[in-house]
Amino acid sequence: MAAYFTYFPNVYVGEGITDDEAYRYRLVKNIFRRVKVREDLDQYVTAFDAYSIRDTDTPSSLAHQLFQNAKLDWVILLANNITDFYEQWPKNNNDLLAYIQENYNSEDGVHHYETLEVKDGDIVITKAGIEVLDSFRTVMPDGTTKTAEQSRYPVSNYEHEVYKNELKRQIVLPTPTLVDLMIDEFEDTVAYEQHPELDDVNNKKTPLSIAARFVDVAGFVSASVSRQSAATSTTTFDYGPSGSNTTSGSVGVATTSTASTTATTSSTSSTTSSTSSTSSSSSSSSSSSSSSSSSSSSSSSSGSSSSSGSSGYGGY
């Protein structure tokens, strides 16, 4: 039985290169893959044993003690959904005290307040252990109000951190039979599904474009489309029932209803130029429309550029 990352698949990653070199690839472990224990496993209580972690325990020492293999420490962490050992594994007394002194001005300072249990006969008015503000007071059914000392109590910084640390001690340990099943399913789950980018030994390699070195990661025009043709592609503008549609290779050219009314006394070229018979408001509207058209054409060209290109790196 091997260590945790041994089961992970490999992926080729492009390396940095100079301008006169072809792409180089390095084969590495795909550490971005992760699995977790099925949520329904907690129903099978016979497959796990409850355990309270001692100060001297580590995942590897428990794995060696239970499975005779210290490299199976990841099985214990996976079974308890522990992804950060330093934050989710309980600290020993010395480390806990050092942590409290580092993060709080005073060990005895008030961290928060919690409610005391208050009853009216056999009826519980306020349950114990609810985190509340300093100003909280219990109000009885007859309208009387309990004092601060009768309603809540302060929890110090030390008490708060000790309580959280004790909760982390309670874990479950999979039985040896379940460990074998977890390893088999883990290996199957992290493996790649069938894909054209896999080689004969299931290493993933995504071909990279040489154009990626000259552009940003937002996207670029592929080699099959020139930048000039992409920037001057034909764009059609639709101005609704009152206007007419114009298809043009020039950005900002539009046809307005004003131009169509003057077409009886001027040549057809008036559709692409401003007319002297239009009012100042119409000219302003036409200018605004032309500016909008320019923005739309620019956005369309940018979108076309992004969609026709490919990103520098494929998905892992």
Side-chain angles (χ1 to χ4, degrees), residues 173-191:
L173 298 175
T175 61
T177 303
L178 182 61
V179 169
D180 295 333
L181 177 62
M182 289 179 64
I183 293 174
D184 292 338
E185 290 193 0
F186 179 83
E187 189 171 10
D188 292 338
T189 304
V190 297

Side-chain angles (χ1 to χ4, degrees), residues 129-155:
I130 301 174
E131 187 172 335
V132 294
L133 299 175
D134 180 22
S135 59
F136 174 80
R137 304 291 185 272
T138 298
V139 179
M140 302 300 290
D142 59 3
T144 59
T145 302
K146 295 290 186 180
T147 63
E149 291 73 16
Q150 295 173 324
S151 302
R152 86 291 182 275
Y153 66 95
V155 177

Side-chain angles (χ1 to χ4, degrees), residues 162-200:
V162 168
Y163 174 74
K164 289 200 309 180
N165 197 61
E166 290 302 310
L167 290 180
K168 297 175 185 177
R169 295 187 185 277
Q170 311 308 314
I171 63 172
V172 294
L173 298 175
T175 61
T177 303
L178 182 61
V179 169
D180 295 333
L181 177 62
M182 289 179 64
I183 293 174
D184 292 338
E185 290 193 0
F186 179 83
E187 189 171 10
D188 292 338
T189 304
V190 297
Y192 295 127
E193 296 182 357
Q194 290 299 320
H195 193 275
E197 294 181 348
L198 299 180
D199 59 18
D200 295 338

Side-chain angles (χ1 to χ4, degrees), residues 114-134:
E114 294 184 6
T115 56
L116 292 165
E117 183 180 72
V118 178
K119 289 185 175 182
D120 183 17
D122 295 332
I123 301 175
V124 176
I125 304 301
T126 304
K127 294 182 179 180
I130 301 174
E131 187 172 335
V132 294
L133 299 175
D134 180 22

Side-chain angles (χ1 to χ4, degrees), residues 12 31 59 86 171-172 207 223 229 255 288 315:
Y12 284 97
I31 61 174
Y86 297 100
I171 63 172
V172 294
S229 62
T255 301
S288 175

Side-chain angles (χ1 to χ4, degrees), residues 209 211 219-227 229-230 304-310:
S209 171
F220 56 88
V221 180
S222 65
S224 61
V225 180
S226 66
R227 290 183 178 272
S229 62
S304 173
S305 173
S306 297
S307 61
S308 63
S310 58

